[in-house]
Amino acid sequence: RRQKVNESRLYDLLGVAKGASASDIKKNFFKIARTEHPDKGGDPEKFKDIKHAYEVLSNPETRETYDNYGEEGLKEQNGGGGGGHDDIFSAMFGGGGSPFGGASRGPRKGEDVVHRMNVTLENLYNGKTSKLSINRQIVCKSCEGSGSNVPGASTDCKGCNGNGVKLITRQIAPGMIQQMQAVCPECKGEGTVIPAGSQCKQCKAQKTVQEKKILEVQIDKGMKH
């Protein structure tokens, strides 16, 4: 018979008490993930522990095992984790695939941008240097990407209680309902909002601004059309 233990490490990782509700565990996890996720510059090993803690404590069965028998009990149960969080994180961090294991570390690389240029046969034969004007989104320098020039101005979004996603219920047939998660339209998946009076005047709380850049494109002699 297994010996019962009293462990709290996984709760400590999520910053909640052992008696915390499922909603509090989820809310704290999302708050921590917004700063500790590797795609946001966090430590991959630390986030791995945080993710494991959430997977265990968000599942009633594995949480009960952990509460009674600790992490050794979870090992005997062949690990305590569930999946199913990838869709939420794709909405939060904007990308395809899971941000937990297989995703690339650090900032995601943007997609290649293709611009069409009109050239003549003479340009291809003799070569030419052309100038190309492009517009791109960059981090706002005024607020350094925070969306506000006032420290601590961000507050939890009331529309989603800081989760960044909302649970939508709709009837699809008499006696049948469907529940689905969607990005919160009020905070656009951020989980936080910035009051109008505290928003950065440069980017209007969008955190990025448009920059116009002139590039020189070298058309080498003999290039194919």
Side-chain angles (χ1 to χ4, degrees):
R1 186 176 179 179
R2 287 182 294 183
Q3 184 75 27
K4 288 192 174 184
V5 298
N6 183 21
E7 290 186 14
S8 63
R9 190 181 79 90
L10 299 187
Y11 288 97
D12 294 340
L13 284 170
L14 298 181
V16 297
K18 290 195 70 172
S21 66
S23 62
D24 284 340
I25 289 173
K26 180 178 180 180
K27 183 177 180 179
N28 268 40
F29 175 63
F30 275 97
K31 278 188 174 181
I32 294 172
R34 280 196 290 271
T35 57
E36 297 294 343
H37 193 278
D39 287 351
K40 298 294 183 179
D43 184 317
E45 290 304 315
K46 181 179 179 181
F47 187 73
K48 184 178 179 181
D49 286 342
I50 293 170
K51 172 215 167 187
H52 171 67
Y54 178 64
E55 289 180 336
V56 170
L57 301 181
S58 64
N59 183 313
E61 293 182 8
T62 52
R63 181 178 181 180
E64 183 180 4
T65 299
Y66 176 72
D67 286 346
N68 289 325
Y69 306 109
E71 296 190 61
E72 285 300 318
L74 292 174
K75 290 178 182 178
E76 293 180 18
Q77 195 175 304
N78 295 322
H85 307 304
D86 292 353
D87 55 339
I88 301 176
F89 275 82
S90 291
M92 281 180 64
F93 300 116
S98 166
F100 289 146
S104 59
R105 302 302 185 193
R108 286 187 175 86
K109 182 181 178 182
E111 295 182 1
D112 292 337
V113 178
V114 178
H115 286 272
R116 182 181 296 274
M117 289 186 63
N118 294 320
V119 295
T120 64
L121 287 175
E122 182 181 358
N123 296 151
L124 295 174
Y125 184 80
N126 295 322
K128 180 184 178 182
T129 299
S130 295
K131 290 186 177 181
L132 178 65
S133 175
I134 63 170
N135 293 316
R136 61 175 185 169
Q137 294 295 123
I138 63 170
V139 174
C140 177
K141 294 179 181 179
S142 178
C143 64
E144 297 182 343
S146 68
S148 172
N149 292 319
V150 181
S154 298
T155 59
D156 282 350
C157 174
K158 294 181 180 179
C160 62
N161 294 321
N163 291 324
V165 292
K166 298 179 74 170
L167 189 64
I168 299 174
T169 303
R170 64 179 182 180
Q171 184 173 349
I172 55 177
M176 296 179 64
I177 61 172
Q178 179 186 45
Q179 286 188 328
M180 56 188 294
Q181 287 174 328
V183 176
C184 176
E186 295 179 38
C187 65
K188 298 180 175 61
E190 291 285 336
T192 58
V193 293
I194 302 171
S198 301
Q199 293 180 1
C200 172
K201 295 180 180 179
Q202 187 73 23
C203 66
K204 305 296 190 294
Q206 296 303 305
K207 302 180 181 180
T208 60
V209 293
Q210 192 174 81
E211 179 191 61
K212 184 176 183 180
K213 191 166 186 176
I214 305 297
L215 300 178
E216 286 193 350
V217 181
Q218 180 65 41
I219 301 172
D220 295 327
K221 292 181 180 181
M223 285 184 71
K224 295 183 179 180
H225 195 283

